[in-house]
Amino acid sequence: MFSRSCVILLARCRSGEAARLVLPTVSRNRRLFAASANEALKNETQRYASKECNLPRSVAFNDTNDSERLRSDQLAQNDVKTEDDSSVAKVCDELHKSSDVVVFEANKCQLNDALDDIEIKLPGPFDQCVEDLSHIGPNFEPTYNFAKYADKSKTIQELVKLGVELYKLEYNRDVMTMFLSLDFDKDMKPYIQFLNDCGVNPKDLGFFITRNPMIFKEDMDDLHTRIRYLRAHQFIPEMIQTIVNKHPPWLSFSTVELDRRLGYFQSNFKLNGYEVRCLSVSNPKLITYNMDSIKRSTFAVKEEMGFNYFETKNILMKAPRVWIRARTEVVKTFDYLHNHMGLSHKIICNQPQILVCRKSRVEKRHEYLVSLKRDQYDPTKPMYVSPLALVGGSDLQFCTNVAKTSITTYNKFLKSF
């Protein structure tokens, strides 16, 4: 409909009026109808012009006036045709410009081979890569264990070679994410070298990393500062080596926190510097243990069990595990030793390791000695039995060294117990 309207307007009206009518419409709908209107306009204009300009052959010229008149009319029509042709050409040009249509003529544009125009040289399969690709890492998908990446991650493979018990760390999502994101050579080797300098045996690196995997998140300067703190408080290298090997999480505590904890034991139990160092070496876990639990255990030893200040200090130095073991279990064991076996505070204080033993173990062995009438715990009387020997060693050692019976007899007693 649009193309026909344009043809009728150009044929019936003057060229200027046609242009004023057609061009606004084309500009509004140029993307939809410009191409079809352009072609139809050319065809219809040429056909109409040729039809109007041709004179009929059957006209007879009877006189000179008629022939002159017809000749002048023909010349006028030829002028109109020329004017119309120029107007049509202008309209077509406007249509081309408004529609943004580009017509390619044959043999005007020749496309060259695209590969010949590209000047980029593609690298070969064996060429050395010079681009920095350090920001690109392996695409590790979520998993519940390390086994999925045992063949893909070099870090996991090296940790297995060191003896790290990865199955104990799989429950911790943060540890798994950290291990899979770290590069062994760049991120882990400096820490391993630091541990080796602190005295950790290469065979014990697996044990250390298993107990303290977050050591790789600590700042290296902070780790050196913590070692310097111990050296400043007269911890000799052998002591530091023992502390680090016994309790790997020690290095994850800041110097401020360690100083506060060591000060607590020194002030509450009246320890000197040497005793503080001995306590730290004998049981470094106690220094980093939960402070609320330590305070409850201290209250139990002093108030519930009734030990005085000197006895409490002696228990702390000889059996620091009393403060780590559950308070209720320690109280149960003490109650049986003191009230059922008749051991005094002095005997228990001199051999405080018996407080760490389970009540059931002490009860079975004591009742077996009672059946043999060998339950004599007074060191001033004959047939003395050390409480420490009572709770220590295996059942075979107990029967051989303390009860002086066979293990078979003891097992029969346990069945009837």
Side-chain angles (χ1 to χ4, degrees):
M1 291 296 295
F2 177 79
S3 61
R4 294 180 180 178
S5 302
C6 291
V7 172
I8 294 172
L9 287 172
L10 289 174
R12 300 300 181 183
C13 302
R14 295 180 180 178
S15 60
E17 296 177 356
R20 286 194 300 271
L21 291 174
V22 172
L23 291 177
T25 307
V26 171
S27 63
R28 288 194 300 269
N29 304 279
R30 63 188 183 186
R31 295 190 178 277
L32 297 177
F33 305 103
S36 59
N38 183 18
E39 187 67 23
L41 181 62
K42 288 181 178 180
N43 296 334
E44 292 296 332
T45 305
Q46 293 176 359
R47 183 173 62 83
Y48 181 79
S50 61
K51 180 178 178 182
E52 291 295 333
C53 293
N54 293 329
L55 293 174
R57 297 179 180 272
S58 58
V59 178
F61 301 98
N62 296 325
D63 52 6
T64 305
N65 294 330
D66 293 336
S67 61
E68 292 294 336
R69 182 173 55 83
L70 290 174
R71 189 177 294 109
S72 61
D73 293 340
Q74 185 175 1
L75 293 175
Q77 290 177 0
N78 291 335
D79 296 337
V80 172
K81 176 182 177 181
T82 304
E83 183 180 356
D84 292 340
D85 290 341
S86 61
S87 300
V88 170
K90 292 181 180 179
V91 172
C92 293
D93 293 339
E94 293 293 335
L95 287 174
H96 278 293
K97 292 180 181 179
S98 61
S99 60
D100 296 333
V101 177
V102 180
V103 179
F104 293 96
E105 297 182 4
N107 300 326
K108 277 290 186 73
C109 297
Q110 297 180 357
L111 297 178
N112 297 326
D113 190 4
L115 293 178
D116 295 339
D117 295 339
I118 298 177
E119 298 180 357
I120 301 176
K121 183 180 179 181
L122 299 177
F126 299 103
D127 293 347
Q128 183 178 3
C129 181
V130 296
E131 185 180 357
D132 183 15
L133 303 178
S134 59
H135 62 283
I136 301 177
N139 182 23
F140 290 136
E141 299 177 356
T143 181
Y144 290 98
N145 52 48
F146 290 104
K148 182 176 181 180
Y149 300 110
D151 296 334
K152 302 178 183 179
S153 175
K154 180 183 176 182
T155 301
I156 301 301
Q157 297 172 3
E158 295 296 332
L159 291 176
V160 171
K161 293 178 183 179
L162 290 176
V164 180
E165 298 170 302
L166 295 175
Y167 68 93
K168 294 184 178 180
L169 305 174
E170 291 175 343
Y171 73 93
N172 194 331
R173 183 182 181 89
D174 296 334
V175 173
M176 292 185 65
T177 305
M178 179 189 66
F179 279 165
L180 293 175
S181 61
L182 292 178
D183 181 79
F184 183 80
D185 295 330
K186 183 174 64 175
D187 301 326
M188 290 187 172
K189 275 190 176 181
Y191 291 90
I192 295 176
Q193 182 63 45
F194 168 78
L195 296 177
N196 184 67
D197 297 338
C198 291
V200 179
N201 195 293
K203 297 181 180 179
D204 299 330
L205 285 173
F207 173 84
F208 186 98
I209 297 175
T210 303
R211 270 62 182 179
N212 187 16
M214 301 307 293
I215 187 68
F216 298 107
K217 286 294 185 181
E218 298 290 338
D219 186 79
M220 188 61 68
D221 294 336
D222 293 340
L223 295 177
H224 286 284
T225 302
R226 292 160 194 172
I227 297 299
R228 288 194 296 268
Y229 170 81
L230 296 177
R231 295 289 293 130
H233 287 77
Q234 301 180 8
F235 283 84
I236 62 177
E238 290 75 11
M239 289 182 175
I240 298 175
Q241 179 179 353
T242 303
I243 291 173
V244 172
N245 283 277
K246 275 188 175 181
H247 189 54
W250 177 286
L251 291 176
S252 295
F253 285 81
S254 65
T255 55
V256 176
E257 183 66 18
L258 288 175
D259 188 74
R260 183 178 68 86
R261 290 170 177 268
L262 292 174
Y264 168 82
F265 287 100
Q266 186 174 15
S267 61
N268 284 271
F269 299 96
K270 302 298 186 291
L271 304 178
N272 55 35
Y274 175 76
E275 291 172 338
V276 171
R277 289 190 291 271
C278 291
L279 178 63
S280 302
V281 174
S282 62
N283 197 327
K285 184 178 181 180
L286 176 64
I287 307 301
T288 61
Y289 204 67
N290 184 271
M291 293 302 298
D292 294 335
S293 178
I294 290 175
K295 293 177 181 179
R296 289 193 294 266
S297 297
T298 302
F299 177 83
V301 172
K302 290 182 177 181
E303 305 298 334
E304 296 183 32
M305 302 180 194
F307 291 99
N308 59 32
Y309 159 72
F310 296 101
E311 292 172 343
T312 302
K313 179 180 177 179
N314 189 63
I315 294 174
L316 175 67
M317 297 304 297
K318 289 185 177 181
R321 287 186 58 194
V322 173
W323 274 258
I324 296 178
R325 192 166 180 252
R327 179 185 60 84
T328 55
E329 297 298 325
V330 174
V331 173
K332 288 179 182 179
T333 302
F334 171 80
D335 179 69
Y336 188 82
L337 292 171
H338 183 65
N339 298 323
H340 291 79
M341 294 176 57
L343 300 181
S344 64
H345 283 78
K346 183 178 180 180
I347 294 176
I348 298 175
C349 174
N350 292 331
Q351 299 180 359
Q353 293 84 354
I354 58 179
L355 292 173
V356 185
C357 183
R358 297 188 306 272
K359 175 189 173 182
S360 59
R361 184 186 181 94
V362 176
E363 184 179 6
K364 292 175 183 178
R365 294 187 177 185
H366 171 69
E367 293 298 332
Y368 184 63
L369 293 180
V370 171
S371 65
L372 297 176
K373 296 183 180 180
R374 297 181 60 88
D375 55 326
Q376 207 288 98
Y377 306 109
D378 189 353
T380 62
K381 297 179 180 180
M383 303 296 292
Y384 167 71
V385 176
S386 172
L388 190 60
L390 174 67
V391 300
S394 62
D395 290 343
L396 179 60
Q397 293 174 344
F398 165 73
C399 294
T400 304
N401 301 327
V402 180
K404 308 297 182 180
T405 60
S406 65
I407 187 66
T408 305
T409 305
Y410 180 65
N411 290 334
K412 290 180 179 179
F413 170 80
L414 293 178
K415 293 179 181 179
S416 62
F417 182 73

